[in-house]
Amino acid sequence: MSPAHRLYRLFVRLLVPAVLGWLWWRGRREPLYAKRLPERLGMIECPPEAAGGILIHAASAGEVQAARPLIEALRHQWRDHSLTVSTVTPTGMQMLRDHWGAVIRHVYLPLDTAGATARFLDRLQPRMLILIEREVWPELLWQCRRRYIPVVIVNARLSERSARSYRRLASLFRPAWSHLSWVAAAEPESQARYIALGVPAERCHSTGNLKFDMPAHEAPSVRPPVFNGRLVVVAGSTHQDEEDILLSFWPELVRQDPRLLLVLVPRHPQRFDDVARNLERAGLAFARHSRREQPTQDVHIWLGDTMGQLMQWYQSADLCFIGGSLAHVGGHNALEAMVFGKPVLFGPHTHNFEQLYQLIETAGAGVRVRSAEELRQQVEMACHDLGPFRSMGHRAASLVRQHQGATARTLAMLAPLWAHHDPAALTPIRTASHQGRVVWWDPGLSDEVASADFDLGPHQGDARPMATGSGRGQVHLTDCGRVSVVLRHYRRGGLMARISKDRFMGTRVASSRAMREYQLLRLMRSWRLPVPAPVAARFDPKGFTYRADIMVAMLPGTRNLVQRLAVSTLPDSAWEAVGRAIRRMHEHQVFHSDLNAHNLLLDDTGLAWIVDFDKCVVRPGDDWKSANLERLLRSLRKEAQRQAIRHWSEDAHWPTLIQAYQLPPDLGEGSV
C-alpha cells in the first residue's frame, strides 16, 4: 500500500461523520437520503442467493440509464438474483426501481473507507465489479485487487478536465489503472486518455456508447391526448439558469403561437418544489405532473416533477432542448431524445459528451444555440415550420442506428472474465423457518427440506455413520430428496467443548457456521472447483446461541488420502491431481482452515476433491497459502508417525504434489 493511499484512508475516515451528518440533514427534505444509512458503512443485508454474482455500480440516475442495455443483456446469461446494482444516490435507486421494480437487487455503495468496503465485499462476495462510466474509488479498487475480484469500467468516459485531476493524484490512482481488467471506452478520445493515465493498452478498447443501444420501444408509442393540437417543446434535465432563460421568453412565444406547450423537467428531483415556487412567483400558469394535473389549452407549462418519465416526454415531443448545455455543466445525454427520432437543441457547454455532440452537428441531427436569443429563435422557427426539424429527427434516428452495437461488443469483452465460471450453479436458495429454526436448501436437489430432516431419529433409520478419522464427531450418510447426502452436525473442540459441545454464540442466520459453509460451497461450485454440492443447512437458535447442521451431496467412489495410503501407494498422477486441486482453490483465494489428509479425497477416476469447509473463507492476499500447504504436510507426517498411512514417502510424494501446485492451473478443468 502506497503512502498516498494511507493518507487517503485517513482523510476519508475523518470525513465519515461529516458525510453521515450531511446525509441525515439532507434527509430532512428528501427522506430517502436518511434511509438505509447502515448500508453507507457496508452493513448490507445480502440474501443468500445474491453472493457470488455480478456487482454493477452506477452512481446515479444517469449511470443507471446508461447501464440499461448492458443489464438487460446480462439478464440473458445470469439469473436475476445474481445481479446486484449499487448506487450512491436515491435517484439512481429510484431509476432502477422504475425500470425493473424489485427484480434487480439494489444496495448503496458504502463510503470508501477500509472497514466499510471490506464489510460490503465480504457480505456480497461479488465475482466481478462493473463500474459504469467513471466511478473510480481507490479503496474499493484496492480491496477488489486483494480479493482477486476483476474490475472493469464500461461505457467509460473521461474528459480532459477529469484526466488532469487524475494526473494530479497520480500516486494514489496509478495502482488502480494498472490493475483494471478491462476498460470499455465510450469513444476513442476517452480510450486514449485512460491509456495515458496508465491503463495497459491491451486492456483498453473503444467499444462505443451503450446509450446508443437504449431501448426505444419501452415508452408508449401513442402520443397522449393532452398533447393533441399542441406544439410540444420538452426541456429535459434543466438547471436553474436554463429555466430562467426559457421562462423569460416563453410568454411572448405563447402569445405568438398559443399551441405551444413547454414540458419542463428539472435535472435534480430535490429542485422540483423550488421550480414550482419560481413559476408561481413569475405568475405563470402551470400544471404539476406529480399531482396528476394536466395542462388545459390555457396552460402552457407542464412541470415534469416525477422520476423516470423523461424518455416518455421526449417521445411525445416535437422539439427537445437538452439541459446542462446553456448552463456551465457540460451537457446531458441527447441520445435519450434521439432514440425516438427527435431533433435536439443544445447550448455551447457540451464537454461531458463532446464527441456525441460533434456527431450530432456533423449529421445535422440538431442545432447548437449559443445564447438565449438563439434558443428563442429556434423555437420560433419551429412554430412557423416543423418540416426542417422533422428532417433533423430522421437524421437523429439514423445516427443512433449507425452507432448501435456497443452492448454486444462490451459483452464480448467481458465474457473471458467468466469463461471458467458456471452461472447456472448459482441456483436460487429456498428458505423456511419454523419455531425459530431456519433451513436453507437447493430446490434443484430437493423439493423441500424440513428442520426435522437434520435430526437423526426413527424416521431416518437408514442413516449410517461414516467414520473419517478426523473431526469432532461422526458424519452420517442418508438421503435427502433426489440425492444421497453427508449430514454433519457442528461440534466444538478443545477446552470450549467442556462448556458446550455444540452451541455457538450468535443470532444472525447468515453468519452462522452452517450457512457460511453452505454459501462458500455454492460459490466454489460456480467456480467449478472440486467440492461437494451444498444441499441444505440448518440454523437452530436458542437465546444468544445456536446449533447448526449441513448436508452436502455424497461424492461416490471417493476415499480420503489416509484411507487410500493405508492400503496402497498412490501413483504420481494422484499427487498431481491433489496439487492441482489445491492450487485451483487458492487461485480463487479460498483459505481452507483445516487442510489435512482426511479432507482430501480421490475418486475411482483419479480426480481429487476437497471437503469440510467449516470456518473457511475467501481471504485476500497470498501470504497464507504456503502456511496452508504446511498444514497439509504436518497432517501427513502426523498420520505417518501414527502408522495410519503405510505407503507415504515425503521425499518421493510431496515434491510431486508441490510441482503440480506450482504450475498455473486451467481454472476450468475438472468441471463439477
Side-chain angles (χ1 to χ4, degrees), residues 384-402:
H384 293 303
D385 184 5
L386 266 176
F389 292 94
R390 291 196 178 103
S391 297
M392 286 184 198
H394 294 320
R395 291 191 288 271
S398 177
L399 180 64
V400 170
R401 288 192 297 269
Q402 291 171 18

Side-chain angles (χ1 to χ4, degrees), residues 125 161 169 189 216 228 314 365 374 382 386 436 483:
Q125 296 182 29
R161 180 191 301 176
L169 298 171
E189 291 81 359
N228 291 343
Y314 280 146
E374 288 188 21
L386 266 176
V483 293

Side-chain angles (χ1 to χ4, degrees), residues 94-347:
Q94 288 178 316
M95 181 69 72
L96 188 73
R97 292 288 179 260
D98 289 340
H99 292 319
W100 292 286
V103 171
I104 303 296
R105 184 175 299 99
H106 170 266
V107 294
Y108 284 118
L109 191 75
L111 301 176
D112 204 38
T113 65
T117 303
R119 279 190 294 272
F120 177 80
L121 293 176
D122 287 344
R123 294 188 180 191
L124 190 57
Q125 296 182 29
R127 70 179 57 210
M128 182 187 304
L129 171 59
I130 299 176
L131 303 174
I132 304 298
E133 295 194 345
R134 201 191 65 222
E135 276 293 300
V136 181
W137 294 97
E139 183 64 30
L140 176 64
L141 267 62
W142 189 84
Q143 296 269 3
C144 286
R145 188 163 69 249
R146 291 194 70 215
R147 289 167 170 78
Y148 291 84
I149 299 171
V151 179
V152 298
I153 308 178
V154 305
N155 214 50
R157 296 188 299 108
L158 188 63
S159 66
E160 183 55 39
R161 180 191 301 176
S162 297
R164 285 197 298 270
S165 299
Y166 284 130
R167 283 195 289 269
R168 284 194 291 268
L169 298 171
S171 59
L172 176 61
F173 284 97
R174 189 180 298 112
W177 305 131
S178 60
H179 285 88
L180 288 171
S181 297
W182 289 104
V183 173
E187 68 277 321
E189 291 81 359
S190 290
Q191 177 192 10
R193 291 176 186 131
Y194 275 109
I195 292 173
L197 286 175
V199 177
E202 66 274 12
R203 292 188 235 147
C204 188
H205 302 278
S206 178
T207 54
N209 196 329
L210 290 174
K211 294 179 180 180
F212 280 106
D213 293 343
M214 196 173 300
H217 62 276
E218 295 184 6
S221 58
V222 179
R223 199 180 198 201
V226 70
F227 291 148
N228 291 343
R230 308 296 292 262
L231 197 158
V232 180
V233 178
V234 174
S237 299
T238 57
H239 297 257
Q240 182 173 345
D241 292 347
E242 294 163 330
E243 292 150 8
D244 293 342
I245 289 171
L246 284 162
L247 297 179
S248 67
F249 61 71
W250 196 253
E252 176 60 29
L253 286 178
V254 168
R255 281 192 288 271
Q256 296 177 28
D257 190 338
R259 297 176 303 155
L260 278 171
L261 174 64
L262 172 64
V263 180
L264 189 61
V265 188
R267 173 69 174 179
H268 298 111
Q270 63 267 26
R271 295 187 55 249
F272 288 161
D273 290 336
D274 291 339
V275 176
R277 284 190 288 269
N278 291 339
L279 289 167
E280 289 172 350
R281 282 194 291 268
L284 299 172
F286 68 98
R288 293 191 69 166
H289 187 260
S290 62
R291 296 177 181 174
R292 299 185 178 181
E293 299 170 352
Q294 293 192 351
T296 64
Q297 292 298 318
D298 297 328
V299 174
H300 300 277
I301 299 175
W302 200 358
L303 179 58
D305 55 348
T306 51
M307 288 293 296
Q309 305 295 315
L310 181 57
M311 291 190 69
Q312 295 183 28
W313 299 126
Y314 280 146
Q315 188 183 24
S316 299
D318 295 298
L319 186 63
C320 301
F321 169 73
I322 309 302
S325 57
L326 272 176
H328 291 266
V329 173
H332 296 303
N333 181 23
L335 290 171
E336 294 174 340
M338 294 169 61
V339 72
F340 298 113
K342 302 299 178 180
V344 292
L345 305 177
F346 49 91

Side-chain angles (χ1 to χ4, degrees), residues 434-506:
H434 179 66
Q435 295 182 343
R437 299 183 181 94
V438 178
V439 175
W440 291 359
W441 78 92
D442 182 345
L445 299 176
S446 182
D447 294 331
E448 188 171 3
V449 180
S451 176
D453 294 331
F454 292 86
D455 299 322
L456 296 175
H459 68 291
Q460 286 193 331
D462 293 335
R464 57 187 185 277
M466 295 177 61
T468 66
S470 176
R472 304 183 181 105
Q474 289 179 328
V475 298
H476 290 77
L477 178 63
T478 184
D479 292 322
C480 182
R482 295 179 289 277
V483 293
S484 295
V485 300
V486 175
L487 169 62
R488 187 173 84 249
H489 183 66
Y490 289 82
R491 299 182 182 276
R492 284 191 177 278
L495 293 175
M496 289 300 298
R498 300 181 181 180
I499 302 173
S500 174
K501 292 183 178 181
D502 62 355
R503 285 211 165 269
F504 306 90
M505 295 297 297

Side-chain angles (χ1 to χ4, degrees), residues 41-101:
L41 298 176
M43 300 174 188
I44 61 172
E45 289 298 326
C46 183
E49 66 270 16
I54 293 179
L55 172 62
I56 304 163
H57 177 60
S60 193
E63 288 79 7
V64 172
Q65 189 76 341
R68 286 180 62 194
L70 180 62
I71 293 173
E72 283 297 337
L74 287 171
R75 292 181 69 193
H76 292 291
Q77 301 189 30
W78 294 78
R79 299 169 187 257
D80 286 342
H81 66 257
S82 298
L83 300 177
T84 300
V85 176
S86 64
T87 69
V88 173
T89 67
T91 54
M93 180 268 292
Q94 288 178 316
M95 181 69 72
L96 188 73
R97 292 288 179 260
D98 289 340
H99 292 319
W100 292 286

